Amino acid sequence: MKVSNLSIVSTILTILTSQSSALKCGIKGVTMPCIGDTDSRYNRDISYDLKEQENFWNSLEGLFLEEIVFYKSDGIPDVNNDAVVPAQLGTYDFSNVKGFLNVTVDGSRYYYHRYLLVKHNSDGPGGMQLPGLVNPTDLYGASTFEKDGGAMQMGIAQGFGNDLVLAGENPAIVKPIGGKMLLTLAPNTMNPLIKDRSYEVYESLYCVDSECKESNAYNEQYHGFQDDIHTPFVEFFRTSRTKVAKDTWMAEISKVYTDFSIPSPDDPFTLIPGFNVPAFSQPFDATTSDKTPPCVTLECPTDENWALIDPYLGTSPYIEPDGVLTGGFIAGVTISSIVVALLIFYMIYKRGVEAREKRVKMAVLNSLSKSMSLKLSKNLTAKDLNEMFQRIDDDGNGNIDKDEMKKLVEEAGVANMSDRDYDVLFASIDLDGNGTLDFVEFCAFFASINIEDEEGNDETFEDA
């Protein structure tokens, strides 16, 4: 079977290309650099932990006291909000809301638990002060496959008795900026609680100090409607936030319970029906509890909920591709393969030539043996060799040419040799390359051949 060196090179390159899928990227001089070297999304060494991606998350974690002022669409503080209870029961002061925030960042997950406590304006029946309002919020988020330090909202629960609302296709994005700010964008989303109502939320938080112990936040909410009945409106609020220790946090919420007349659930307000519910009762006893409920709305996410957004539970779309061989490596392999192929073919050619030389030399020896009735042996003398030479040298000019050698072989009839065989023969024994053999070259020809003597051993005429 004949195989060209080009086909061997092609085979080698095909094998290398097919096996390159098992190679890693970034092998110096072999494969192309890894995409992850310049794009963190592809870098497996960068984890999904928020604190590792962005140190600012460490500052955002902790317990916070908040002073919050809500504003109406016209920019006036919402002092007399009549949307909480029927008008005859009075109003609530949303210009002096007390917030109690607990933020935890654990690995890839972000937990935001907040109580808003709102005081009644003592304008109930007969000037009565009704219980303060308790409005809890649980918000959950996780880092993203982008590995850019940002978080994506998984879901939110607001108020008691409402289910956790999953973010769906348009989750809110929370993004640290410059180590001092946190921006939040909740894109246009249909309100899950009120039919035909949509809203967008923009919030910015700015840290006053390097450790974010003091911070200010500004929040805007744009409410729209998909009907012709309601008019779109905007509401916004400002927040001053202070990070405190747990004991301070607990003592302050206990104090606000008293100041805002928020009763214990064991001793609810019963003078007016409808207030014996969690929204008008203390959510927990801050004087005896060591910690707040894990989910302030009492609606906690499940593992299935987290699986929708936690990158540790999903599959990243940013997979580092298999190693791709560099052009220089392929060129090097190509050149090396050609060199190897040439060496292989040279060895094959050399062995073929040697085998052919041996065959044609033995054909000449056998022809001499038959034509002169001699037995080839290591014991041939110089006289025997001279007689052989003279037998072949028909014209007696002291040189044997190809025609004279061809005549010997054809008359003996022991072998069929082509013109190419005679070329090979003379190329191997015509030492001076003049196209003929003199007696010295003829003797050297015999000395170079191994023959098997009567005992079966390989002998050379160099012993003669």
Side-chain angles (χ1 to χ4, degrees):
M1 179 178 66
K2 295 183 179 180
V3 183
S4 70
N5 60 337
L6 289 178
S7 64
I8 287 184
V9 173
S10 176
T11 301
I12 292 174
L13 289 177
T14 299
I15 293 173
L16 284 173
T17 302
S18 64
Q19 290 185 344
S20 67
S21 60
L23 296 176
K24 287 186 176 181
C25 60
I27 301 176
K28 187 174 182 180
V30 178
T31 55
M32 299 292 286
C34 297
I35 298 176
D37 292 343
T38 55
D39 190 334
S40 61
R41 297 174 300 177
Y42 292 87
N43 192 332
R44 296 180 181 178
D45 294 332
I46 298 178
S47 78
Y48 292 117
D49 291 4
L50 286 168
K51 292 178 181 178
E52 291 186 22
Q53 293 180 17
E54 173 57 67
N55 186 58
F56 188 45
W57 286 103
N58 287 285
S59 302
L60 297 173
E61 189 175 40
L63 296 171
F64 299 87
L65 301 180
E66 297 179 314
E67 299 285 342
I68 306 173
V69 179
F70 283 81
Y71 296 87
K72 298 180 180 180
S73 297
D74 56 9
I76 298 175
D78 192 2
V79 178
N80 305 108
N81 189 295
D82 58 1
V84 177
V85 293
Q88 66 270 22
L89 297 181
T91 61
Y92 282 81
D93 183 4
F94 276 81
S95 69
N96 184 31
V97 176
K98 305 297 182 180
F100 296 85
L101 176 64
N102 180 7
V103 177
T104 302
V105 180
D106 184 11
S108 61
R109 299 181 183 181
Y110 170 63
Y111 304 82
Y112 177 103
H113 306 296
R114 183 195 224 179
Y115 291 110
L116 295 185
L117 306 185
V118 188
K119 188 176 184 179
H120 187 263
N121 282 319
S122 299
D123 54 358
M128 181 186 299
Q129 181 176 7
L130 300 183
L133 172 68
V134 179
N135 185 19
T137 297
D138 287 314
L139 187 147
Y140 306 95
S143 62
T144 70
F145 292 119
E146 302 297 319
K147 295 182 179 180
D148 58 359
M152 184 178 294
Q153 180 182 318
M154 178 267 285
I156 185 172
Q158 293 178 300
F160 295 105
N162 296 320
D163 294 334
L164 176 69
V165 179
L166 300 179
E169 297 181 356
N170 296 300
I173 304 297
V174 183
K175 178 71 175 176
I177 304 293
K180 298 247 341 175
M181 292 186 64
L182 187 71
L183 298 181
T184 302
L185 167 63
N188 189 23
T189 307
M190 294 304 297
N191 190 305
L193 304 179
I194 303 176
K195 184 179 179 181
D196 295 331
R197 180 173 176 178
S198 64
Y199 63 98
E200 288 184 340
V201 178
Y202 300 89
E203 181 175 283
S204 61
L205 178 143
Y206 177 77
C207 294
V208 177
D209 58 278
S210 60
E211 297 180 359
C212 210
K213 291 182 178 180
E214 300 286 339
S215 58
N216 297 314
Y218 176 74
N219 181 293
E220 291 184 358
Q221 299 182 9
Y222 295 83
H223 298 261
F225 297 89
Q226 306 298 314
D227 55 36
D228 297 328
I229 302 174
H230 300 87
T231 301
F233 66 93
V234 179
E235 61 182 1
F236 54 95
F237 59 89
R238 300 181 185 275
T239 304
S240 295
R241 183 179 296 173
T242 303
K243 184 181 292 188
V244 297
K246 181 178 66 174
D247 291 343
T248 303
W249 197 88
M250 290 291 188
E252 187 64 24
I253 196 171
S254 181
K255 179 177 180 298
V256 174
Y257 287 162
T258 301
D259 293 345
F260 286 11
S261 300
I262 302 174
S264 166
D266 297 330
D267 186 20
F269 181 83
T270 58
L271 295 179
I272 297 176
F275 285 88
N276 187 15
V277 294
F280 299 100
S281 301
Q282 298 175 15
F284 67 98
D285 188 348
T287 61
T288 60
S289 298
D290 183 55
K291 57 184 179 180
T292 65
C295 308
V296 296
T297 62
L298 308 181
E299 291 293 331
C300 297
T302 64
D303 291 340
E304 289 77 11
N305 297 149
W306 281 115
L308 297 174
I309 195 170
D310 191 335
Y312 280 122
L313 302 179
T315 301
S316 173
Y318 305 109
I319 305 298
E320 184 74 58
D322 297 322
V324 178
L325 297 175
T326 64
F329 179 77
I330 293 176
V333 170
T334 302
I335 294 172
S336 300
S337 301
I338 292 175
V339 171
V340 171
L342 290 175
L343 289 174
I344 292 173
F345 280 105
Y346 171 74
M347 296 301 298
I348 294 173
Y349 172 77
K350 183 178 179 182
R351 293 190 63 180
V353 170
E354 290 174 348
R356 193 168 193 173
E357 288 178 356
K358 182 177 180 180
R359 177 174 61 80
V360 296
K361 287 178 180 180
M362 292 305 300
V364 171
L365 291 178
N366 290 332
S367 298
L368 283 169
S369 176
K370 182 177 180 180
S371 63
M372 300 185 67
S373 300
L374 290 174
K375 180 178 180 181
L376 299 180
S377 168
K378 68 177 183 177
N379 296 320
L380 288 173
T381 65
K383 180 180 178 181
D384 294 330
L385 293 172
N386 186 56
E387 288 180 1
M388 291 182 188
F389 186 83
Q390 296 298 330
R391 168 71 179 80
I392 303 172
D393 184 14
D394 281 345
D395 56 13
N397 66 354
N399 291 291
I400 299 174
D401 58 24
K402 291 181 183 179
D403 290 337
E404 290 171 329
M405 189 68 75
K406 184 176 182 181
K407 179 180 178 183
L408 168 70
V409 175
E410 290 179 350
E411 287 180 352
V414 296
N416 293 320
M417 291 177 57
S418 65
D419 291 340
R420 174 60 181 158
D421 289 333
Y422 288 105
D423 292 338
V424 171
L425 174 65
F426 271 73
S428 64
I429 61 179
D430 181 11
L431 302 180
D432 57 13
N434 65 355
T436 62
L437 304 179
D438 58 22
F439 184 67
V440 174
E441 291 172 326
F442 184 74
C443 291
F445 159 58
F446 273 87
S448 67
I449 301 176
N450 293 330
I451 63 173
E452 188 174 271
D453 63 10
E454 294 178 353
E455 287 77 27
N457 296 321
D458 285 342
E459 304 285 355
T460 69
F461 282 97
E462 292 176 336
D463 297 328

